[in-house]
Amino acid sequence: MPLVPAHRRSAALAPFVAALSAYDLGPGGVHRGLPSSTISITIPEADSLEIGRLGSRERFRAVVAGLHLDPAELRQEGGTRGVWLTLSPPAAGALLGVPASALSGQVAELADVAPVLDYLPERLATCRSWPQRRALVEEALLAGLDRHERDTGGELPATLAALSALSALSGTARVQEAARRLGCSRRHLSGTVRGALGVTAKEYQRLLRFEAARGGLVAAARAGTVSLAAVAAAAGFADQAHLTREWRAMAGCTPTEWLRTEGLTGLTT
């Protein structure tokens, strides 16, 4: 397949890929992976990636993580760099060939989830620059999208329905209100989300609220002027105690402990 210009690759993938970037775990090669509302793919440049969660540890050459509500520890010895990307959950079927619901709560080898992408780790290791790595990953994703469109005749009704449901859920804190906006029953909305993502509508909103708090914590720490109580209120938590409880449950630590491990300071309590 001929190389597609960078701007056209980005435009074609924009509805499906939330983020695509290089990463460096830094000294020690350890990172705390937090719950999110997206599917993540992590491909180390060298060596393998060890992931610890729920009392177990596994090694992966490249890993796909579905939606989950618990933390994970990522450890990469030797080289600490690689490529990290996140996908909108409805995009999993189009780009990877498996629905997001099949990946929910799971971490799996990329080659097992999408065998046609098993070449990516070795090919990425031969790239000499970030633009080359980005182009290689984008071309692989575009090829997956092309295959999906050929197999389905270009129809993505289930994907579009899921995107509409997720958009409505992100615009309100109540599942019932999201259903009203969509003109359907709460039961129908819940079934759509569960079938597409493998998590409940309420769990998806919990992930969105956690992500909002994470973004607020980072911004507040950098500004050094916002309190935990203010971050909690802005993200939709009942109060600071509610925020702290959720972070203990979903991140395995308090917000201030997480900020310290990330090298961020300046947040008052």
Side-chain angles (χ1 to χ4, degrees):
M1 184 173 68
L3 187 66
V4 179
H7 69 281
R8 290 179 56 193
R9 294 196 305 268
S10 297
L13 293 172
F16 308 100
V17 179
L20 172 57
S21 63
Y23 72 81
D24 190 336
L25 299 183
V30 179
H31 173 71
R32 185 191 297 267
L34 299 181
S36 78
S37 63
T38 57
I39 292 170
S40 67
I41 301 176
T42 308
I43 309 174
E45 284 185 20
D47 200 10
S48 58
L49 192 68
E50 181 182 271
I51 296 184
R53 62 188 294 264
L54 303 176
S56 66
R57 290 188 175 277
E58 294 183 79
R59 281 199 168 274
F60 301 88
R61 182 61 188 92
V63 66
V64 180
L67 271 64
H68 54 94
L69 285 86
D70 57 287
E73 182 185 79
L74 286 71
R75 185 181 298 273
Q76 186 177 330
E77 298 179 354
T80 61
R81 299 180 301 178
V83 175
W84 174 75
L85 60 147
T86 60
L87 309 179
S88 168
L95 299 182
L96 302 179
V98 296
S101 56
L103 301 171
S104 178
Q106 305 295 317
V107 290
E109 190 70 53
L110 176 62
D112 293 337
V113 174
V116 294
L117 298 180
D118 64 354
Y119 69 92
L120 268 182
E122 288 189 13
R123 287 282 303 279
L124 283 169
T126 67
C127 293
R128 293 174 175 265
S129 68
W130 166 243
Q132 288 181 339
R133 294 184 183 94
R134 184 183 184 95
L136 178 62
V137 173
E138 288 180 335
E139 290 293 340
L141 295 177
L142 283 175
L145 185 59
D146 287 343
R147 283 190 297 271
H148 179 80
E149 291 180 344
R150 286 197 303 270
D151 293 343
T152 63
E155 294 294 328
L156 298 173
T159 298
L160 295 177
L163 286 171
S164 296
L166 301 190
S167 177
L169 287 170
S170 67
T172 176
R174 298 179 61 83
V175 177
Q176 184 62 48
E177 174 59 20
R180 186 192 68 77
R181 294 182 182 184
L182 289 170
C184 66
S185 68
R186 175 172 178 154
R187 181 176 181 179
H188 177 81
L189 174 59
S190 298
T192 298
V193 174
R194 184 79 174 191
L197 273 63
V199 299
T200 67
K202 203 64 182 176
E203 287 172 334
Y204 180 72
Q205 288 189 319
R206 189 180 174 195
L207 287 169
L208 291 176
R209 187 173 58 199
F210 179 85
E211 285 182 323
R214 182 178 61 192
L217 284 168
V218 172
R222 288 174 176 167
T225 58
V226 182
S227 70
L228 282 176
V231 171
F237 290 90
D239 51 31
Q240 180 178 329
H242 183 201
L243 169 68
T244 299
R245 287 197 303 274
E246 280 289 85
W247 268 73
R248 284 190 182 279
M250 299 178 72
C253 62
T254 66
T256 51
E257 288 170 342
W258 178 73
L259 286 169
R260 281 197 298 270
T261 62
E262 294 294 309
L264 297 167
T265 59
L267 189 65
T268 62
T269 58

